[in-house]
Amino acid sequence: MPELDRSVLTSSPELPRSRAREILSNQQFLLFVVLIALMTYFYTRNHYFFTVGEFQNIFTDFSGYALLAVGEMFVIVAGGIDLSVGSTVAVSGVLGAWVMNGMMNGHWNQFWVLVVGTIICGIVGAIVGLFNALMITKAKLVPFVATLVTLSAGLGFALLFAQFFNSGQPVGNDPAAAVFSSKAIWVFTYPSIFIIAIVVIAGIVLHLTRYGRYTYAIGSNSFAARAAGINVQRHVGSIYVLSGFLAGLTGMFYFMQLGSGAPTSGDGFELTAIAAVVIGGASLTGGRGRMSGTVLGVFVLTVVTFGLVFINVPPAWTQIVVGGFIALAAALQSLRPSGRKSA
Amino acid sequence: MFDKATEKVYFSDNVVSGGMNGSSPRFMNKGNQMISLKNPKGAMRVAGTMALAGVLSATSLVALGAQTAGASKTYTIAFNVGVTSDPFFLTMRAGATAEAKKLGVNLEWQGNVNYYSPATQLPFLQSALASKPDALIFAPTDTKALEPITNQFVAAGVPVFNVDSGNANQKNIVSWITGNNVQGGQAAADALAKAMNYSASGTYNVVIGVSSVTTSTDAARLAGFKAEIKAKYPKIALKNVFATNSVSATAISDINQALSANPGATGTASGLSGIFAIDGTDAAGAVAALTAKGKLGKVALVGYDAYATSVSQLGKGGFSALIAQQPYLEGQLAVKAAVSYLKNGKSASAAGIMHLNTLANKVLTATTSASVLKKYTYRTK
């Protein structure tokens, strides 16, 4: 936790800032260059890369990680961490699938099934987030431990529910949802349009509203934020609920992809979300980072992960390349002039 | 990270009750004092769910424990598997439970609910060893890592049986009942070639989805598949083998990539002709991806394991073929072998037990008769 407001340092004119350093420090610009280079490389390996169909795939996969990373972004900017999002995807997907399956057996209209399913998944996610919030703000557990509890227990519940509803197999069978989720306007599938809209709103909230400014303030220095009259406890609690809610919606997204709620969906996704936020330039110590960086981070991870599959590279390499990106992002952060990019 | 001055401690006079085993979730703060939630209303809903789940798991445990039947000597057999939530092992459990009931022995079913790894399996085996069962049947999650604990069982006079997967060193294993995964992979290659209408004039691009290339069963199936196409189908090109770590969502993404990378007509060098989904999660992902892209029935799909949902899609253009194992029979035969061994003075020859009992896989297709489908479909009862 930075004890000093570092913006004071950046604004002092006597600090030397070379031009090269400044370009290097613009992590988003670099990420963008890397992204274009990657895509060009994939194109040279297989010319079908720049097709509408492939970009639909990319935006679909992007959507799966995007909401998790956005929720994680809020948490990380506020100086916390949320490890539970992967399990939240699983538990909300399984419970949502159970409700939707019941509605389908009752011959509800498919549209309303999906609407209610989305609401249920969001609520289940928010409840998991609330549990995190209570453990952190009331029971005073550190976020890492509190969300580790829900990561573990959440997955356990997802498995228990799946066992109870469908003897351990994925719950529900709704192939129409899978078909609907692949319908697209140009490169944007229906779910990805919905999710991109949420990402834009989240960006506006983080950068242009009081809620966002409080988030940065708490992440920079929670003592100062409290002294400035911010209800730190309530704000931090609400961020974990938000992160849970977005993870719940992601559970719905994967239900639609698969046409059923699988307890294994979301396994390990929390690390992908955190990786995207870090690659996007946010600092794990809080108070620093931009939503556009996180969005680029998710995009780079998606293109790397599935682009390598596209050109038939063995899966182990994907992990290594992603690791390389995280190392690069960390190196850039240490190079960067010690100033806050945003507040 | 938060203001220390606001930290409050609430002593446990109104602890939120509920939880897995009726215990109360209590939170330890830095001073190791028991504290409870200040306002437990929000947490109550979660706690309620936890309590419900606790009841559920308790009921299943009671059901499991109720199999003790009266006999001159009631044997207790510890049965330990990789992942208890996997439908494959659930089916095996059903077979083992039925046989145990029939023979009047006590069955202790154990295993990690989700993680297929020796590290998570070992504690269950250690506690089984402490409870001194009459016999141990287990499916090792690693060919080597569980040999030391196996030796401890043998040293304690507990005969050890393998089911499904096996230890690399089979010397001190009484009997190993397993499906033939290499043969399963070969059968999958044959079934896929047939479904793609293989002819020497075409080119057939194929991808395989595996859970993990290091899982012994997946590796054996993959090896069988590769050997078969090398020997019999030179025009089948294996484009990619991707690992999904048992996450169906990843399988969907991977299949989508394979479809986009090979958008041409099936049977040509630029098209995707076939998919071999090596386990259930890959199969579910492949079906979802093909359904969404309108390619179901156009791209040949061979799956492994006869899950009920997969079998129901056989006739409807979903799966071209399924390679069915016999987990129910594996469970039954393993318990039968163990009891027979115990009743015949711990002599394998007297009990008539084979050291290695390999059960054939069955290829299920749309033309398979309903009765055969029913026989091979995995069930949990």
Side-chain angles (χ1 to χ4, degrees):
Chain A
M1 188 92 15
E3 296 296 321
L4 289 167
D5 188 347
R6 288 171 169 175
S7 60
V8 177
L9 293 176
T10 16
S11 57
S12 49
E14 59 273 15
L15 273 178
R17 298 177 68 182
S18 75
R19 182 97 185 117
R21 222 165 203 240
E22 205 157 323
I23 291 174
L24 264 179
S25 72
N26 191 339
Q27 195 155 343
Q28 285 172 50
F29 175 75
L30 276 175
L31 264 186
F32 192 73
V33 170
V34 168
L35 186 63
I36 298 298
L38 270 175
M39 289 171 123
T40 311
Y41 173 67
F42 292 143
Y43 175 74
T44 59
R45 292 289 303 272
N46 182 337
H47 282 29
Y48 292 115
F49 191 78
F50 285 128
T51 55
V52 171
E54 176 57 13
F55 272 75
Q56 283 177 3
N57 292 343
I58 291 174
F59 275 106
T60 303
D61 295 331
F62 168 85
S63 305
Y65 295 145
L67 291 186
L68 297 182
V70 164
E72 196 70 62
M73 172 86 186
F74 274 87
V75 173
I76 286 174
V77 166
I81 193 98
D82 188 351
L83 298 175
S84 69
V85 292
S87 294
T88 309
V89 168
V91 76
S92 61
V94 169
L95 284 175
W98 178 63
V99 172
M100 286 185 272
N101 200 34
M103 289 177 75
M104 281 176 66
N105 291 339
H107 302 289
W108 281 60
N109 176 299
Q110 177 78 41
F111 175 76
W112 289 111
V113 171
L114 293 181
V115 169
V116 172
T118 307
I119 295 168
I120 297 284
C121 286
I123 291 174
V124 172
I127 290 173
V128 178
L130 181 66
F131 202 59
N132 284 332
L134 289 172
M135 282 195 285
I136 292 161
T137 63
K138 302 294 181 194
K140 302 294 174 196
L141 291 178
V142 292
F144 190 97
V145 174
T147 57
L148 197 58
V149 170
T150 33
L151 167 70
S152 177
L155 182 59
F157 280 120
L159 289 162
L160 267 182
F161 291 140
Q163 215 154 342
F164 182 60
F165 296 144
N166 196 19
S167 43
Q169 302 191 45
V171 179
N173 184 19
D174 188 2
V179 173
F180 177 81
S181 77
S182 73
K183 283 198 165 60
I185 299 171
W186 192 43
V187 296
F188 303 107
T189 53
Y190 287 0
S192 68
I193 293 171
F194 183 67
I195 286 171
I196 289 167
I198 297 177
V199 172
V200 170
I201 294 168
I204 291 170
V205 169
L206 186 63
H207 294 301
L208 300 175
T209 68
R210 197 170 61 183
Y211 189 87
R213 282 195 297 280
Y214 282 6
T215 307
Y216 279 101
I218 292 167
S220 295
N221 188 332
S222 66
F223 295 92
R226 166 165 293 279
I230 298 173
N231 187 338
V232 173
Q233 301 280 338
R234 199 174 67 190
H235 194 89
V236 165
S238 74
I239 285 170
Y240 283 94
V241 174
L242 174 70
S243 176
F245 172 72
L246 293 174
L249 292 185
T250 305
M252 179 63 192
F253 172 82
Y254 282 112
F255 168 85
M256 289 183 67
Q257 287 273 291
L258 195 59
S260 59
T264 53
S265 282
D267 192 13
F269 286 14
E270 60 281 343
L271 296 179
T272 310
I274 294 168
V277 174
V278 170
I279 290 172
S283 163
L284 281 180
T285 52
R288 212 156 72 174
R290 288 197 69 83
M291 189 59 81
S292 51
T294 295
V295 169
L296 265 175
V298 177
F299 221 94
V300 166
L301 276 185
T302 309
V303 168
V304 168
T305 308
F306 297 109
L308 290 175
V309 174
F310 187 83
I311 61 167
N312 303 327
V313 171
W317 283 103
T318 313
Q319 303 293 324
I320 294 167
V321 173
V322 169
F325 270 105
I326 297 172
L328 186 71
L332 287 172
Q333 282 204 0
S334 64
L335 268 180
R336 182 158 52 185
S338 55
R340 278 169 54 190
K341 297 299 285 182
S342 171
Chain B
M1 61 168 283
F2 301 119
D3 195 345
K4 294 271 187 330
T6 64
E7 201 168 86
K8 290 174 192 159
V9 177
Y10 297 92
F11 289 89
S12 58
D13 51 354
N14 65 336
V15 170
V16 183
S17 65
M20 294 297 289
N21 299 313
S23 65
S24 308
R26 289 177 174 140
F27 306 107
M28 308 294 281
N29 78 340
K30 289 181 193 111
N32 274 348
Q33 290 144 314
M34 283 294 191
I35 57 172
S36 73
L37 303 168
K38 182 192 174 192
N39 175 9
K41 257 187 210 161
M44 270 304 191
R45 301 165 81 171
V46 182
T49 332
M50 287 170 75
L52 170 71
V55 170
L56 296 182
S57 63
T59 2
S60 61
L61 285 176
V62 169
L64 192 68
Q67 284 136 12
T68 322
S72 54
K73 153 81 172 142
T74 307
Y75 293 116
T76 295
I77 296 172
F79 205 127
N80 184 297
V81 295
V83 181
T84 54
S85 65
D86 187 320
F88 177 85
F89 287 119
L90 287 169
T91 311
M92 185 183 284
R93 175 180 173 170
T97 306
E99 189 69 16
K101 201 171 179 180
K102 189 177 132 195
L103 300 175
V105 298
N106 194 10
L107 189 70
E108 281 178 5
W109 193 266
Q110 301 149 338
N112 190 286
V113 74
N114 193 41
Y115 293 106
Y116 188 90
S117 82
T120 48
Q121 188 176 23
L122 187 59
F124 288 97
L125 288 168
Q126 284 165 336
S127 76
L129 180 62
S131 74
K132 293 222 184 303
D134 293 296
L136 169 75
I137 302 168
F138 87 115
T141 50
D142 190 285
T143 49
K144 292 243 169 74
L146 298 162
E147 279 179 357
I149 185 86
T150 305
N151 294 337
Q152 286 181 42
F153 272 97
V154 174
V158 179
V160 179
F161 297 73
N162 278 164
V163 66
D164 187 38
S165 47
N167 282 1
N169 178 4
Q170 284 287 315
K171 271 186 191 155
N172 52 17
I173 303 293
V174 178
S175 177
W176 179 14
I177 297 101
T178 182
N180 189 337
N181 287 297
V182 175
Q183 177 261 329
Q186 289 170 333
D190 292 334
L192 196 60
K194 199 177 166 197
M196 295 189 299
N197 295 319
Y198 181 87
S199 79
S201 60
T203 303
Y204 303 89
N205 291 330
V206 166
V207 292
I208 302 183
V210 302
S211 192
S212 154
V213 283
T214 53
T215 305
S216 66
T217 45
D218 282 11
R221 292 169 199 173
L222 194 57
F225 187 93
K226 282 180 175 170
E228 190 75 351
I229 62 171
K230 198 176 173 194
K232 281 164 79 174
Y233 309 107
K235 294 290 186 172
I236 291 182
L238 180 56
K239 296 290 273 191
N240 202 356
V241 178
F242 35 70
T244 57
N245 299 317
S246 299
V247 180
S248 293
T250 309
I252 295 178
S253 300
D254 290 342
I255 297 292
N256 280 339
Q257 294 300 334
L259 287 170
S260 291
N262 306 285
T266 53
T268 69
S270 64
L272 184 68
S273 299
I275 299 167
F276 174 30
I278 226 161
D279 69 3
T281 47
D282 278 290
V287 168
L290 292 176
T291 306
K293 297 266 172 180
K295 294 267 188 178
L296 203 61
K298 290 172 185 149
V299 176
L301 173 63
V302 172
Y304 219 97
D305 290 330
Y307 297 159
T309 42
S310 306
V311 171
S312 72
Q313 283 159 340
L314 263 179
K316 295 169 188 163
F319 288 98
S320 315
L322 288 171
I323 312 300
Q325 301 186 81
Q326 304 197 56
Y328 192 92
L329 191 59
E330 283 182 29
Q332 248 181 337
L333 291 179
V335 170
K336 195 177 173 185
V339 173
S340 170
Y341 183 75
L342 292 170
K343 285 187 174 165
N344 284 284
K346 298 196 176 181
S347 156
S349 54
I353 302 170
M354 284 182 283
H355 186 227
L356 176 64
N357 189 357
T358 309
L359 308 180
N361 296 294
K362 179 80 182 171
V363 180
L364 307 178
T365 66
T367 54
T368 308
S369 74
S371 61
V372 174
L373 285 183
K374 187 161 182 277
K375 185 186 162 198
Y376 282 94
T377 301
Y378 295 177
R379 54 201 162 150
T380 50
K381 285 188 183 76

